[in-house]
Amino acid sequence: MLKKNGILKENILISTLDNGIKCYIIPKKDYVTKECAIVVGYGANDINFKVDDSNYKSFSGTAHFIEHKLFAKPEGDIFSLFSKQGAKANAYTDFGKTVYYFSCTDDFYENLKTLIYMVKKPYFTKENVESEKSIIKQEITMYEDNPDWCVYYNMLSIMYHNHNVKNKIAGTCESVEKIDEKMLNKCYNSFYTPKNIGVVCVGDFPENDVLELLKSEFSDFYNTSEAICIYGDESEDIVEKYIETKMDIKETFFSVGYKLPKYFFESDVKKSFAVKMIGDILFGEGSEFYNKLYNEGKVRDSLGMEFVSGKEFAFFVIAGNSDFPDDIAEGICSEFDKAKENGVLSVVFDRIKNKLVSKFIRGLNSVDAITMAQVNFHTNNTDISDAYDKLMEIDLEYINNVLKEGFSNKNMVLSVIKPK
């Protein structure tokens, strides 16, 4: 199916291969850079699962471990091959997915074959799994020295009782030590299945040529296993309101988090855009709230905001550096109360919506931005063209409805890390 959005004037070829892999091919004529990403619907939260009526339990960090080890092959590290072929390759794991990608200017087809080979041909041995553990544990130790990372996961620890989202994506040194090649193979075979995979290709190339290559390279990739994840029972309330720790740092870090109700679980793109707009309206650099904090000397930099939504969880975070985290948290609660009671001003809504639309359109000038946006849209079973249409549908009434459905101050938590 070839789609074209009349306003964006961007073509996108969407095709599902015979084995179930969904492909998004977006030509960008006269662009030098080409990029491809393979997204697998398997992330850090997918620890407990069922296959063919049998229950399985992996350990925290398993999805991230597989991400690391898929670069290892009998002939050596795939990073070296990408480098020889003039490509930059990388990967990442988040709560709900794992993504492998590369960008290049030349030899796109060869690099695409390499990426597909890497993902569809695992090579887990006792020796290479054991050797990887020390590398991953070093990575975990590095994260534990990062105050941004620590304040974030401390926040999740008092927000969630049982859901796996409170677990660290890379796992812990203890959980990583328990992972073996049998577990990796079981999880790979359960989740790295065609119906759980999407492919995004962006660049100056004939879209049909790319599609034919994908059909050919994935022609031998069949796996009908269907893993059903089990997340356990999670109540709507939080664990605790406040957590504070100390580190060898010079300034105070804070994260204000809102545990959101079922209405926000697995949010579609329209709702996700709306939450981002609400954050910018209430707490962005142009907001009255932020400017009051800035003028009072309580913040120096902009506040970071993130909305995360997935299977049986959703939360919204406002984070930054300040010696007045309690005042900021109290102010955030007050802003949500006022917005829910009085609604958002139409003039402010129009300004923020225009800002987000402009940012979306500017992103279409970047091959990398298009690729990563489509990776995220794939997890919502949509594409970049439909996402734009959903963004344009958002009106003031919808924004105010989304506000009223969530953001209860009783489910607000505050995580703080102060200097020793």
Side-chain angles (χ1 to χ4, degrees):
M1 174 176 61
L2 185 64
K3 298 181 65 174
K4 186 171 185 178
N5 184 291
I7 297 176
L8 299 180
K9 297 181 174 59
E10 296 290 339
N11 287 322
I12 178 168
L13 175 61
I14 303 173
S15 180
T16 301
L17 305 185
D18 290 341
N19 60 4
I21 293 176
K22 195 162 188 179
C23 304
Y24 308 84
I25 304 170
I26 307 174
K28 293 294 292 182
K29 187 173 173 56
D30 298 326
Y31 277 63
V32 175
T33 302
K34 303 172 182 66
E35 189 160 343
C36 178
I38 295 179
V39 52
V40 184
Y42 173 52
N45 292 352
D46 305 319
I47 293 174
N48 304 312
F49 58 97
K50 178 185 293 186
V51 179
D52 298 330
D53 295 326
S54 296
N55 292 324
Y56 298 93
K57 179 178 176 60
S58 59
F59 294 108
S60 176
T62 302
H64 175 258
F65 206 121
I66 290 177
E67 173 215 314
H68 270 237
K69 290 317 301 173
L70 281 191
F71 283 91
K73 295 291 181 272
E75 64 272 25
D77 195 323
I78 287 291
F79 272 119
S80 299
L81 182 55
F82 277 119
S83 181
K84 289 178 182 177
Q85 294 171 176
K88 294 180 180 179
N90 213 330
Y92 67 88
T93 303
D94 64 21
F95 296 118
K97 65 182 180 293
T98 308
V99 181
Y100 305 87
Y101 60 98
F102 75 86
S103 63
C104 64
T105 56
D106 300 306
D107 295 325
F108 174 75
Y109 296 115
E110 285 304 310
N111 284 304
L112 179 53
K113 290 178 183 178
T114 301
L115 186 70
I116 294 170
Y117 163 65
M118 184 186 82
V119 171
K120 75 178 187 179
K121 297 290 185 182
Y123 178 61
F124 306 134
T125 68
K126 183 176 181 178
E127 291 73 22
N128 70 21
V129 169
E130 287 301 314
S131 65
E132 193 69 28
K133 288 180 180 180
S134 60
I135 296 172
I136 294 178
K137 286 192 284 187
Q138 284 179 345
E139 182 180 341
I140 291 170
T141 302
M142 179 184 68
Y143 284 137
E144 290 174 346
D145 290 331
N146 184 323
D148 283 313
W149 186 88
C150 291
V151 78
Y152 185 85
Y153 276 100
N154 286 349
M155 175 198 71
L156 291 178
S157 74
I158 61 170
M159 186 182 289
Y160 285 92
H161 298 263
N162 301 310
H163 197 287
N164 290 332
V165 73
K166 68 187 292 183
N167 296 325
K168 299 173 179 66
I169 289 174
T172 64
C173 290
E174 292 77 16
S175 68
V176 166
E177 197 58 47
K178 297 175 183 177
I179 295 171
D180 59 25
E181 70 277 13
K182 292 180 181 178
M183 179 180 292
L184 297 182
N185 275 305
K186 183 60 189 179
C187 292
Y188 177 91
N189 291 328
S190 299
F191 290 99
Y192 280 66
T193 62
K195 291 183 179 180
N196 206 30
I197 289 176
V199 181
V200 180
C201 297
V202 183
D204 186 0
F205 40 59
E207 57 264 36
N208 288 318
D209 288 357
V210 175
L211 180 59
E212 290 303 313
L213 187 148
L214 293 173
K215 288 178 179 178
S216 175
E217 293 299 310
F218 278 117
S219 62
D220 61 346
F221 189 64
Y222 280 89
N223 185 343
T224 57
S225 294
E226 290 192 20
I228 300 173
C229 291
I230 303 165
Y231 298 102
D233 295 327
E234 175 67 38
S235 60
E236 291 188 359
D237 65 323
I238 58 175
V239 180
E240 296 179 50
K241 201 74 177 172
Y242 181 79
I243 185 171
E244 178 183 316
T245 57
K246 293 187 177 182
M247 294 181 66
D248 189 13
I249 52 178
K250 293 183 178 180
E251 54 186 346
T252 298
F253 288 69
F254 73 89
S255 282
V256 175
Y258 277 80
K259 185 178 184 179
L260 301 178
K262 291 181 180 179
Y263 174 79
F264 293 90
F265 294 178
E266 296 186 88
S267 285
D268 58 23
V269 292
K270 184 176 180 180
K271 196 175 295 178
S272 297
F273 280 135
V275 175
K276 291 176 183 177
M277 290 175 67
I278 288 169
D280 203 4
I281 288 167
L282 299 182
F283 312 113
E285 288 188 353
S287 68
E288 291 184 6
F289 174 76
Y290 176 80
N291 279 281
K292 182 174 183 295
L293 291 178
Y294 185 83
N295 291 333
E296 292 174 350
K298 292 183 176 179
V299 294
R300 296 188 302 275
D301 302 313
S302 60
L303 300 174
M305 286 176 277
E306 182 184 25
F307 170 56
V308 185
S309 171
K311 295 175 181 176
E312 301 185 26
F313 80 97
F315 60 88
F316 181 70
V317 185
I318 305 157
N321 303 106
S322 174
D323 292 329
F324 307 91
D326 297 284
D327 291 350
I328 293 174
E330 184 178 340
I332 288 170
C333 290
S334 177
E335 288 301 307
F336 272 123
D337 281 341
K338 288 189 293 184
K340 289 166 72 174
E341 181 178 354
N342 303 322
V344 172
L345 293 174
S346 60
V347 63
V348 178
F349 165 76
D350 289 340
R351 174 172 59 84
I352 297 302
K353 180 176 179 179
N354 289 335
K355 174 183 173 182
L356 186 56
V357 171
S358 298
K359 183 179 179 181
F360 187 101
I361 293 174
R362 283 198 308 273
L364 297 173
N365 292 320
S366 165
V367 167
D368 181 66
I370 294 171
T371 303
M372 292 307 158
Q374 184 55 65
V375 162
N376 291 323
F377 295 145
H378 167 72
T379 62
N380 292 116
N381 197 30
T382 191
D383 59 75
I384 200 166
S385 176
D386 285 347
Y388 176 83
D389 293 338
K390 293 297 181 183
L391 172 58
M392 297 305 296
E393 286 178 8
I394 297 174
D395 56 20
L396 187 57
E397 181 182 5
Y398 184 77
I399 285 287
N400 285 323
N401 284 337
V402 172
L403 255 174
K404 292 174 182 177
E405 290 290 344
F407 306 104
S408 170
N409 288 330
K410 70 177 184 179
N411 282 339
M412 184 276 288
V413 301
L414 173 61
S415 171
V416 178
I417 296 183
K418 294 182 175 180
K420 288 182 177 180

